[in-house]
């Protein structure tokens, strides 16, 4: 049985994961429209993963006898200043998601809800990986700067990451 506070926190997390999925789709379509098809492919794939994260919470809540609330999703921005700005925005967003997961873990520990605390461990590990992935793409983009050949190579590499995953 989940406390009202935990239930509310998990439902808010569902909203955040749903927005993440939508946000990465928005960055992906901008990338595709601006010639970065590999990065677009990577972000579309990432968007699918975010939906899976959301469904993981649905499933946990249902298993715990609670009802997940299907969220209303805000419209993400359609425009990016550059491919770098898009990736940087994604990293910033992931940091926000990490803070939210950590705060939820904190609440579950304080409430002695060890089952939820244990459930959140998967997300804590996943957040570390996701932040690292976006940081690494950003570093690569920074290395090549505005060199179009360099950006082309990064784009190609990002597309291949999805094929090999
Ligand atoms: Fe599910 Fe990238 O946070």
């Amino acid at each position: 049985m989940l406390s009202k506070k935990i239930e509310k926190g998990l439902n808010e997390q569902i909203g955040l994961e749903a927005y993440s999925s939508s946000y990465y789709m928005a960055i992906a379509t901008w990338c595709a429209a601006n010639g970065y098809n590999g990065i677009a492919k990577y972000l579309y794939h990432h968007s699918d993963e975010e939906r899976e994260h959301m469904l993981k919470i649905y499933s946990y809540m249902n298993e715990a006898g609670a009802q997940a609330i299907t969220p209303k999703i805000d419209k993400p921005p359609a425009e990016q200043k550059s491919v770098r700005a898009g990736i940087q925005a994604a990293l910033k967003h992931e940091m926000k998601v990490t803070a939210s997961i950590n705060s939820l873990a904190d609440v579950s520990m304080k409430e002695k809800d060890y089952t939820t605390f244990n459930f959140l461990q998967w997300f804590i590990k996943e957040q570390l990986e996701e932040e690292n992935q976006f940081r690494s793409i950003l570093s690569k983009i920074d290395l090549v700067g505005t060199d179009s050949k360099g950006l082309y190579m990064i784009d190609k590499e990002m597309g291949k990451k999805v094929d090999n995953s």
Side-chain angles (χ1 to χ4, degrees), residues 29 36 90-91 109 115 119 131 137:
T29 188
Y36 300 104
L91 172 61
M109 184 52 103
T115 313
F119 166 70
E131 278 193 29
I137 307 170

Side-chain angles (χ1 to χ4, degrees), residues 17 20 24 46 50 53 94 97 127 130:
E17 302 291 346
S20 305
Y24 299 150
H46 202 93
E50 296 300 350
H53 298 172
E94 281 306 323
V97 175
Q127 282 312 119
E130 295 198 347

Side-chain angles (χ1 to χ4, degrees), residues 55-91:
L55 289 178
K56 249 185 205 295
I57 307 175
Y58 267 72
S59 177
Y60 173 68
M61 289 181 79
N62 289 163
E63 204 180 336
Q67 187 177 347
I69 308 292
T70 305
K72 177 172 181 273
I73 308 170
D74 288 340
K75 185 171 177 275
E79 295 303 324
Q80 312 290 331
K81 269 193 199 139
S82 62
V83 67
R84 187 191 187 281
I87 298 298
Q88 191 172 35
L91 172 61

Side-chain angles (χ1 to χ4, degrees), residues 23 26-27 29-31 34 75-80:
Y23 194 18
I27 304 174
T29 188
W30 181 93
C31 287
N34 287 275
K75 185 171 177 275
E79 295 303 324
Q80 312 290 331

Side-chain angles (χ1 to χ4, degrees), residues 102-122:
N102 287 346
S103 138
L104 203 46
D106 196 42
V107 173
S108 58
M109 184 52 103
K110 279 184 183 134
E111 293 212 347
K112 297 189 175 16
D113 179 349
Y114 301 116
T115 313
T116 299
F117 184 76
N118 184 48
F119 166 70
L120 292 170
Q121 298 312 300
W122 182 89

Side-chain angles (χ1 to χ4, degrees), residues 93-151:
H93 182 71
E94 281 306 323
M95 289 163 78
K96 185 178 164 187
V97 175
T98 302
S100 172
I101 291 284
N102 287 346
S103 138
L104 203 46
D106 196 42
V107 173
S108 58
M109 184 52 103
K110 279 184 183 134
E111 293 212 347
K112 297 189 175 16
D113 179 349
Y114 301 116
T115 313
T116 299
F117 184 76
N118 184 48
F119 166 70
L120 292 170
Q121 298 312 300
W122 182 89
F123 285 85
I124 290 170
K125 189 168 169 277
E126 179 73 9
Q127 282 312 119
L128 179 70
E129 278 174 27
E130 295 198 347
E131 278 193 29
N132 277 341
Q133 280 175 19
F134 283 123
R135 246 183 224 112
S136 139
I137 307 170
L138 203 55
S139 305
K140 283 179 189 157
I141 294 177
D142 283 344
L143 267 179
V144 301
T146 51
D147 173 58
S148 53
K149 201 171 168 205
L151 285 173

